[in-house]
Amino acid sequence: MRGSIELCLTRSPAHFPDCTGSPGMVSRTVRAADAGSVLFRGLPPGDYAVSVIHDENDDGRLNTFVGIPREGFGFSRNPRIRMGPPRFEECRIAVTGAAMREVIQIKYLL
């Protein structure tokens, strides 16, 4: 697998799914060939949402063609994808301080 996997975790519905300008946002980038599990430690309890991009060409963005993603993407809770990205509420996960696991499926449309 080539490129990288970019993850963004935010508590702000207004900054989801790209997290740009989100206060307290946490992001990770890992080589796609090494991707498997990504660990977020020390998160304060609260509601979060995660977005994931498989940046195949490492240009730092999700490439699209007429608005349709050309690279893989995914969200916490694996919501059904309709027109446009899901809302924060559809992807919200509650962090309580206890260890938890969230499996995110990456979807490829083109």
Side-chain angles (χ1 to χ4, degrees), residues 57-88:
N57 59 1
D58 281 326
D59 67 352
R61 63 187 186 93
L62 177 64
N63 299 118
T64 62
F65 177 73
V66 294
I68 300 170
R70 296 184 67 146
E71 297 176 303
F73 64 92
F75 303 97
S76 46
R77 293 185 50 202
N78 300 302
R80 183 176 175 163
I81 302 301
R82 296 178 185 89
M83 298 299 287
R87 295 182 329 272
F88 181 90

Side-chain angles (χ1 to χ4, degrees), residues 32 40-42 44 55 81 103:
F40 293 96
R41 293 180 192 261
D55 186 7
I81 302 301
V103 177

Side-chain angles (χ1 to χ4, degrees), residues 11-105:
R11 295 179 76 171
S12 172
H15 294 95
F16 182 78
D18 69 3
C19 298
T20 302
S22 177
M25 157 301 267
V26 181
S27 65
R28 301 278 191 278
T29 301
V30 295
R31 289 175 15 103
D34 299 333
S37 294
V38 176
L39 186 62
F40 293 96
R41 293 180 192 261
L43 296 173
D47 291 337
Y48 293 84
V50 179
S51 61
V52 179
I53 296 172
H54 178 197
D55 186 7
E56 296 178 49
N57 59 1
D58 281 326
D59 67 352
R61 63 187 186 93
L62 177 64
N63 299 118
T64 62
F65 177 73
V66 294
I68 300 170
R70 296 184 67 146
E71 297 176 303
F73 64 92
F75 303 97
S76 46
R77 293 185 50 202
N78 300 302
R80 183 176 175 163
I81 302 301
R82 296 178 185 89
M83 298 299 287
R87 295 182 329 272
F88 181 90
E89 293 75 26
E90 295 175 277
C91 304
R92 180 178 34 227
I93 51 176
V95 173
T96 62
M100 60 182 288
R101 172 181 288 223
E102 178 70 19
V103 177
I104 299 175
Q105 298 171 346

